[in-house]
Amino acid sequence: MASYSTNEFRSGLKVLLENEPCVILENEFVKPGKGQAFNRVKLRNLNSGRAWERTFKSGESLEAADVVDKEMEYLYTDGEFWHFMLTDGSYEQYAADKKAVGDTINWLKEQDVYEVTLYNNAPITVSPPNFVELEVVETDPGLKGDTAQGGSKPATLSTGAVVKVPLFINQGEILKIDTRTGDYVSRVSNK
């Protein structure tokens, strides 16, 4: 199994710590005026979702986690599991539980492609693309010209997610949403 030294640590790197797969969220190299250099690392456990900080002395190493990121198409949910299919031509399907899907549930749209992280051939996390296009299924009627204050109103999307949108947005419109923040980006033209 491969291992990574502290000088190879970077955000997004997946490592094994205390026999649990983790992802490095932040890595800060610290060289104090006196004493040995060290790395201050913020990690997230891929199984539990718990995040914490830990320091590693310069030169220490961590084993690479045996995780694989695959592009998969979201198919459907049966109420208990969310089903994804590989897009590489093998059509192999995987079922992710609620813990693996997590907050991505707000952005799941059938036939869209998501990044699914597999550990021991089972999905442990599902990551949405940075932007998704979803339809507004419920919102107050749009108000033209009422933008003096740049106000916003809540809108319920086809996935059930509720986002703040400008006052001129109407029901039935397709919106581009940033999944990292849950913010409205723009309307999508109906071509």
Side-chain angles (χ1 to χ4, degrees):
M1 188 60 67
S3 64
Y4 298 107
S5 178
T6 52
N7 63 346
E8 297 174 291
F9 286 3
R10 64 189 180 329
S11 294
L13 190 67
K14 294 180 174 77
V15 294
L16 211 55
L17 185 64
E18 297 167 6
N19 290 324
E20 290 282 332
C22 300
V23 63
I24 294 177
L25 301 175
E26 295 172 18
N27 175 45
E28 180 186 6
F29 177 74
V30 180
K31 175 96 173 87
K34 197 175 189 182
Q36 186 179 7
F38 62 91
N39 287 54
R40 188 176 297 126
V41 181
K42 188 172 184 180
L43 302 135
R44 171 172 285 123
N45 185 314
L46 291 172
N47 281 333
S48 68
R50 188 175 72 93
W52 75 97
E53 266 190 29
R54 188 145 170 194
T55 57
F56 296 93
K57 292 179 189 163
S58 199
E60 279 189 87
S61 63
L62 287 175
E63 196 173 314
D66 188 18
V67 296
V68 181
D69 292 329
K70 300 258 188 183
E71 296 285 314
M72 294 192 195
E73 182 181 315
Y74 172 59
L75 299 174
Y76 65 95
T77 180
D78 59 16
E80 186 178 356
F81 293 101
W82 287 259
H83 297 269
F84 294 85
M85 178 179 67
L86 282 173
T87 57
D88 62 4
S90 69
Y91 306 109
E92 197 173 334
Q93 293 186 18
Y94 293 87
D97 60 9
K98 185 161 182 65
K99 192 171 87 174
V101 173
D103 292 339
T104 304
I105 198 167
N106 291 327
W107 317 119
L108 284 178
K109 187 170 115 185
E110 290 176 3
Q111 298 179 339
D112 274 6
V113 175
Y114 298 84
E115 186 174 280
V116 179
T117 303
L118 301 173
Y119 179 64
N120 291 338
N121 222 22
I124 54 171
T125 58
V126 177
S127 304
N130 290 342
F131 299 99
V132 291
E133 295 177 0
L134 298 169
E135 183 180 351
V136 176
V137 293
E138 186 182 326
T139 189
D140 294 333
L143 299 169
K144 280 194 169 133
D146 192 3
T147 58
Q149 301 300 319
S152 62
K153 62 183 180 179
T156 304
L157 304 175
S158 56
T159 59
V162 177
V163 297
K164 294 261 185 222
V165 298
L167 296 172
F168 58 81
I169 297 295
N170 290 306
Q171 198 166 314
E173 291 188 89
I174 308 288
L175 305 181
K176 185 175 187 178
I177 306 293
D178 186 334
T179 60
R180 298 163 292 189
T181 60
D183 292 339
Y184 160 85
V185 176
S186 66
R187 283 193 281 198
V188 177
S189 59
N190 299 331
K191 290 183 179 172

